[in-house]
């Protein structure tokens, strides 16, 4: 029981009021219960909304990560789905563009390798044909290196010799020197 009193002054009287505790605190208890219930309801709603939003926002990023991992493992034909927020969609578009460029680059490199292999095979065949002609020829063939003569002639021009014919007519020893500069590389 909850009670209170108020003195009345003259005569020495007072007013006393009594009330059961349950009845006195009923509005307070009801407010506390409503406050706790509302708080729990808001917490559950916030948690559920947060979980839903986080999964909704994380799913496109997770898909992007999964696709990127599979592409890194060599599955270059894959494209990232364009879904999610604007930023994730732009990132997916950029990633798809990069993957397309990578596919084109790999295709181009494969073509180059094929062309190089074909050229190398043709060169090998040509070399084998040349070598057969050279080695099996019934007449003597010489492969000679004239690079030293070229350097000698370039040096003469650098020293101011403009007319090589006249120079060699006037200097027959230079002709003999040029003959000495010839180096045989291969003779059949």
């Amino acid at each position: 029981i909850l009670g209170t009193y108020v003195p009345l002054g003259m005569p020495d009287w007072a007013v006393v009021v009594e009330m059961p505790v349950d009845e006195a605190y009923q509005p307070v208890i009801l407010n506390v219960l409503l406050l706790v219930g509302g708080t729990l309801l808001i917490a559950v709603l916030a948690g559920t909304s947060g979980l839903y939003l986080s999964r909704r926002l994380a799913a496109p990023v997770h898909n992007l990560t999964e696709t990127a991992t599979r592409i890194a493992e060599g599955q270059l034909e894959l494209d990232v789905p364009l879904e999610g927020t604007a930023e994730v969609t732009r990132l997916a578009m950029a990633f798809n563009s990069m993957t397309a460029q990578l596919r084109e680059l790999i295709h181009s490199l494969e073509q180059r390798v094929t062309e190089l292999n074909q050229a190398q095979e043709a060169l090998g065949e040509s070399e084998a044909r040349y070598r057969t002609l050279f080695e099996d020829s019934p007449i003597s063939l010489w492969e000679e290196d004239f690079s030293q003569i070229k350097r000698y002639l370039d040096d003469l021009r650098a020293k101011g010799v403009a007319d090589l014919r006249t120079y060699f007519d006037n200097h027959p020893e230079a002709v003999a020197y040029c003959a000495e500069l010839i180096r045989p590389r291969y003779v059949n």
Side-chain angles (χ1 to χ4, degrees), residues 144-146 148-149 152 168 172-184:
E144 297 175 326
D145 180 5
F146 285 80
Q148 295 295 325
I149 294 175
Y152 178 66
F168 285 118
E173 73 282 357
V175 175
Y177 178 70
C178 285
E180 293 173 11
L181 294 176
I182 299 172
R183 300 283 178 244

Side-chain angles (χ1 to χ4, degrees), residues 56-158:
R56 183 168 177 198
L57 293 174
V61 174
H62 179 71
N63 289 342
L64 177 68
T65 304
E66 284 292 317
T67 305
T69 302
R70 291 173 57 197
I71 289 171
E73 292 171 350
Q75 298 179 24
L76 296 176
E77 70 282 352
L78 296 178
D79 279 331
V80 179
L82 302 177
E83 60 186 15
T85 62
E87 293 82 9
V88 174
T89 302
R90 280 192 299 246
L91 181 61
M93 288 171 60
F95 197 83
N96 287 341
S97 173
M98 179 182 65
T99 304
Q101 290 174 358
L102 186 60
R103 281 191 296 259
E104 289 175 18
L105 179 63
I106 288 173
H107 178 71
S108 173
L109 287 174
E110 287 172 345
Q111 278 186 314
R112 284 183 180 172
V113 167
T114 301
E115 291 169 1
L116 286 173
N117 286 341
Q118 290 171 347
Q120 188 174 8
E121 186 177 320
L123 180 63
E125 290 172 2
S126 175
E127 182 182 356
R129 188 170 41 252
Y130 164 76
R131 191 163 305 285
T132 300
L133 287 173
F134 189 83
E135 291 174 354
D136 296 340
S137 175
I139 59 171
S140 178
L141 297 175
W142 290 48
E143 181 180 334
E144 297 175 326
D145 180 5
F146 285 80
S147 61
Q148 295 295 325
I149 294 175
K150 166 87 167 88
R151 282 191 210 115
Y152 178 66
L153 296 176
D154 288 343
D155 287 344
L156 288 176
R157 285 196 176 107

